[in-house]
Amino acid sequence: MVLNGIITFSSVFLLLFQGVTSLRDVKLLVEPSTVIKGGTAALICSRDMQGALLYSVKWYRGNHEFFRYTPNEKPDLKVFGLPGIYVDMNRSNGTQVLLRRLELGLSGNFSCEVTADAPYFATQITTKFIDVIALPTLLPVLVTDKDRYQPGEMLRANCTSPPGRPAANLTVFINEEPIRASETSLQPFENGLLTAKVNVEVKVTPELFPGGRLRVACYATVYDVYNQSAKLDFLTPETDPRPERITLGGGTSKCVLNWLLLLFLFFLPMMVMGEDYGLLSGDFLDIPYTYYDEESEENAIISLVGG
Ligand SMILES: *[C@@H]1O[C@H](CO)[C@@H](O)[C@H](O)[C@H]1NC(C)=O
Ligand SMILES: *[C@@H]1O[C@H](CO)[C@@H](O)[C@H](O)[C@H]1NC(C)=O
Ligand SMILES: *[C@@H]1O[C@H](CO)[C@@H](O)[C@H](O)[C@H]1NC(C)=O
Ligand SMILES: *[C@@H]1O[C@H](CO)[C@@H](O)[C@H](O)[C@H]1NC(C)=O
Ligand SMILES: *[C@@H]1O[C@H](CO)[C@@H](O)[C@H](O)[C@H]1NC(C)=O
């Protein structure tokens, strides 16, 4: 009885003793702190050994160990295959493990466990939730209900951000002024991704055209790792007899395309007849005929007449 008591007492004492003197402050740091799908992340396991020797450092996802450092063994670094975990051995060591090609499904609890060497084998484990996020892969899309606005009219705009997780934050600005959304919505997409959308409505006044231009802009942001925008400019109706919504692409480029089509059709007979075009295969020659549908012809003629 007494002996048992002494043994128990001394083990408790030893546990307390080693806890205080041989190992503390095991921390798991993730770099970068926002982990992006397809990217890399270093899981840095820092600790204060208090002079004790290191026996092992183990990294887990959930309960599954995927990487281990044991300085007294050969090899000292070991990877345990876990689906979706790609360890870059060149940049992993006893302090950090570098993961590549991170997938959304890897989001979860990651742990690092440090064990001190004999005689006590003190162990400390620390866990951190790592969220892998997916940024939108396309730019936000901004649309307005009209191509031109007169003072007194309502301007209605919608801005949509392509799917991501979490959904992007959307803010619509008129000139430099953020506009409160009249409606916001999130729509589920596949794989837990979300599409974000906001609608705004603004009464158009002459003051909204400082310098003759009204700018509608939509910013899509995800934390501090993603910031993309879409912009539309409207000119003051009075100063420009033919105000147009200014966007990329639009009417002019179509017109140019039609001109090119006409030119092409004009030269086509020469290309077909020319003896020197021996390299042109029959397949290639098929293309212009299918491309030359009635609608294009009509458009081409309209632009020829109108432009
Ligand atoms: C690791 O380094 C070796 C030699 O420096 C190199 O051949 C190999 O491609 C590297 N592997 C990775 C995943 O970078
Ligand atoms: C582990 O690797 C990282 C990155 O390659 C490096 O910065 C660090 O100094 C290394 N640490 C040790 C203990 O070798
Ligand atoms: C991560 O750990 C926390 C706290 O231990 C727990 O509440 C949570 O359910 C765990 N999450 C997952 C995905 O296992
Ligand atoms: C904006 O979205 C609403 C539905 O949320 C739709 O009724 C409206 O036509 C859209 N406006 C524009 C300019 O696309
Ligand atoms: C969106 O904005 C809110 C409020 O500023 C912020 O707490 C949240 O983290 C942001 N979300 C994203 C995905 O950026």
Side-chain angles (χ1 to χ4, degrees):
M1 284 291 263
V2 175
L3 193 64
N4 258 348
I6 289 171
I7 289 170
T8 312
F9 175 78
S10 46
S11 353
V12 168
F13 181 75
L14 280 180
L15 274 173
L16 286 174
F17 190 71
Q18 76 186 13
V20 171
T21 62
S22 71
L23 172 61
R24 64 182 191 195
D25 292 344
V26 173
K27 293 198 184 92
L28 181 57
L29 183 80
V30 183
E31 183 60 48
S33 55
T34 305
V35 178
I36 298 170
K37 173 179 186 274
T40 66
L43 276 52
I44 302 161
C45 187
S46 67
R47 62 267 174 177
D48 180 354
M49 296 303 294
Q50 295 275 307
L53 290 175
L54 182 67
Y55 177 69
S56 68
V57 187
K58 300 174 179 178
W59 279 260
Y60 300 84
R61 179 182 179 280
N63 296 322
H64 301 279
E65 186 185 358
F66 61 90
F67 188 67
R68 181 191 299 181
Y69 172 66
T70 30
N72 298 330
E73 290 177 17
K74 283 253 176 315
D76 56 355
L77 297 176
K78 292 192 193 75
V79 175
F80 306 97
L82 212 56
I85 292 201
Y86 305 102
V87 172
D88 184 339
M89 290 299 277
N90 286 355
R91 290 176 63 191
S92 300
N93 52 35
T95 305
Q96 68 158 48
V97 52
L98 188 91
L99 302 182
R100 291 194 176 276
R101 289 186 275 153
L102 290 153
E103 274 307 318
L104 285 181
L106 272 188
S107 297
N109 286 332
F110 284 76
S111 311
C112 123
E113 182 188 69
V114 178
T115 304
D117 207 346
Y120 307 125
F121 293 104
T123 288
Q124 243 190 41
I125 185 162
T126 183
T127 300
K128 187 171 219 164
F129 183 81
I130 298 183
D131 193 18
V132 181
I133 71 166
L135 299 179
T137 52
L138 297 168
L139 298 177
V141 176
L142 177 63
V143 292
T144 53
D145 59 342
K146 294 186 185 174
D147 283 353
R148 53 194 291 182
Y149 292 95
Q150 304 287 344
E153 288 181 329
M154 288 303 284
L155 181 158
R156 294 184 181 85
N158 293 348
C159 181
T160 310
S161 174
R165 193 189 86 180
N169 277 342
L170 294 174
T171 315
V172 175
F173 285 75
I174 301 278
N175 300 323
E176 309 304 317
E177 202 67 36
I179 305 298
R180 210 158 60 92
S182 58
E183 199 182 322
T184 66
S185 67
L186 293 181
Q187 290 207 328
F189 187 70
E190 49 201 44
N191 302 326
L193 304 191
L194 293 165
T195 299
K197 182 176 174 186
V198 296
N199 305 352
V200 299
E201 289 186 8
V202 173
K203 179 108 177 240
V204 175
T205 60
E207 292 73 49
L208 291 184
F209 294 89
R213 188 198 69 182
L214 181 158
R215 168 164 287 182
V216 186
C218 172
Y219 286 88
T221 60
V222 177
Y223 307 130
D224 58 353
V225 292
Y226 175 90
N227 187 348
Q228 294 289 350
S229 62
K231 294 177 181 129
L232 294 172
D233 281 356
F234 298 88
L235 304 181
T236 313
E238 288 83 1
T239 59
D240 187 338
R242 292 196 304 167
E244 288 288 338
R245 178 170 59 179
I246 299 169
T247 54
L248 291 177
T252 27
S253 58
K254 193 175 171 192
C255 204
V256 169
L257 264 182
N258 285 334
W259 271 106
L260 286 175
L261 181 67
L262 271 185
L263 275 176
F264 182 57
L265 290 171
F266 181 74
F267 286 110
L268 182 63
M270 294 172 222
M271 290 163 74
V272 175
M273 311 293 263
E275 300 287 348
D276 291 337
Y277 294 93
L279 283 176
L280 292 179
S281 73
D283 283 344
F284 179 85
L285 290 179
D286 279 344
I287 297 169
Y289 292 106
T290 48
Y291 187 46
Y292 182 61
D293 56 274
E294 267 178 29
E295 208 191 336
S296 316
E297 181 187 19
E298 211 170 273
N299 282 341
I301 288 165
I302 286 168
S303 1
L304 187 61
V305 173

